[in-house]
Amino acid sequence: MPATDLPLLIDAALEAGKIATRYSGPDAQRWDKPEGAGPVTEADLAVNAMLERDLQAARPDYGWLSEETEDSPDRLARDRVFVIDPIDGTRSFAEGSRTWAHSLAVTENGEVTAAVIYLPLRDLLYAAAKGQGATLNGTAIQVSGQAHLPEAEILAAKPNLDPRHWQSGAAPDFRRVYRPSLAYRMALVAQGRFDGMLTLRPSWEWDIAAGDLILREAGGLCTDRLGQPLRFNNTHPRLNGVVAAGSAVHSDLQARLDPNGAGIPA
């Protein structure tokens, strides 16, 4: 089904962009979720409503997991599941930034098979289907060939450099850069704009599902912080961080991470 699911996701992402851009980020109504779960805006909810309606109508046998829909155990009994972040980077959206994205994926038995990350204000549409490679605006992309970690540019928030995460008691030498949307960070690595990305804290599936496939189809490696493949549609939809890069940089990062540091916030 990846070949038929991908056009469906692309069309849905383009429609999501039309809806979201009708709102002026700083002027959109905004609420804070309970228990410090972050902000949500009326644009997030409007995009989610459209996606849930249209995608489930097109694939009524697929399960549904979205940041903006109350989770249901029904999805656990489905072989194929939509994993959706209506707007990844809501804070950026609310601040009027252009670095927010729609992140849409289909998983089958825990593996992502079709994926789209779309930044409407930057006119960037990243897409992939299992076994068919990854594209940006229809042109094939691939990860960087950087082989030396000290020369690599790694997308990571500053807390990931906490010495307690690293076996040597200090973060390895690389150039740290940052973008607020996790999905966009993963797409930029797939594109070869940057050499890798790290997020070492527990990560929601909807933030990373689309980026996982796009990165792997672009020739990269994408694992959790312990080097394990990412699996989706878990009972608790949170994964143990993300390490993504070309093979050499990924191997070097993985070798230097302390597996006992998994409980440290990042």
Side-chain angles (χ1 to χ4, degrees):
M1 294 294 288
T4 56
D5 284 337
L6 183 56
L8 175 68
L9 294 185
I10 290 172
D11 288 346
L14 294 172
E15 183 61 24
K18 292 176 185 177
I19 293 172
T21 52
R22 292 175 192 153
Y23 296 85
S24 174
D27 296 329
Q29 287 187 301
R30 171 179 169 168
W31 305 269
D32 288 318
K33 298 178 186 178
E35 302 177 359
V40 61
T41 72
E42 57 183 334
D44 295 80
L45 300 181
V47 169
N48 189 66
M50 179 278 294
L51 293 172
E52 188 168 8
R53 181 193 69 229
D54 291 0
L55 292 176
Q56 291 203 298
R59 300 285 190 273
D61 56 329
Y62 287 21
W64 182 262
L65 175 64
S66 168
E67 181 175 11
E68 307 304 345
T69 302
E70 184 175 355
D71 195 12
S72 166
D74 293 349
R75 63 180 171 79
L76 300 174
R78 307 293 182 97
D79 291 336
R80 297 185 180 95
V81 179
F82 289 110
V83 182
I84 304 294
D85 193 345
I87 296 180
D88 182 52
T90 296
R91 285 188 179 87
S92 294
F93 175 85
E95 292 166 359
S97 167
R98 300 189 300 149
T99 53
W100 49 271
H102 307 296
S103 180
L104 287 64
V106 171
T107 69
E108 183 173 359
N109 298 320
E111 181 184 2
V112 186
T113 55
V116 171
I117 294 171
Y118 178 45
L119 285 79
L121 294 185
R122 291 182 176 267
D123 191 28
L124 299 172
L125 193 148
Y126 301 87
K130 182 180 177 181
Q132 298 181 21
T135 61
L136 168 58
N137 295 346
T139 299
I141 55 175
Q142 64 180 22
V143 296
S144 156
Q146 178 61 256
H148 305 291
L149 186 58
E151 299 170 14
E153 287 189 303
I154 306 295
L155 289 153
K158 192 171 183 179
N160 292 286
L161 303 185
D162 189 311
R164 294 175 295 171
H165 289 299
W166 304 94
Q167 291 193 37
S168 65
D173 185 21
F174 56 74
R175 288 176 286 171
R176 186 186 72 85
V177 287
Y178 184 70
R179 297 292 185 276
S181 162
L182 182 49
Y184 186 33
R185 279 178 253 165
M186 297 179 78
L188 286 167
V189 176
Q191 184 185 352
R193 284 271 308 279
F194 297 94
D195 303 306
M197 62 81 60
L198 287 172
T199 182
L200 300 178
R201 64 182 179 183
S203 303
W204 294 108
E205 290 187 15
W206 48 72
D207 288 330
I208 58 181
D212 169 61
L213 180 66
I214 293 168
L215 256 159
R216 290 187 292 106
E217 288 292 324
L221 296 177
C222 193
T223 68
D224 71 11
R225 62 172 295 152
L226 299 178
Q228 298 301 307
L230 302 182
R231 303 294 294 179
F232 297 88
N233 195 33
N234 298 289
T235 302
H236 182 60
R238 220 166 187 182
L239 300 176
N240 189 17
V242 181
V243 181
S247 59
V249 169
H250 185 281
S251 177
D252 207 345
L253 287 170
Q254 201 70 62
R256 294 165 185 259
L257 282 167
D258 186 346
N260 299 315
I264 301 168

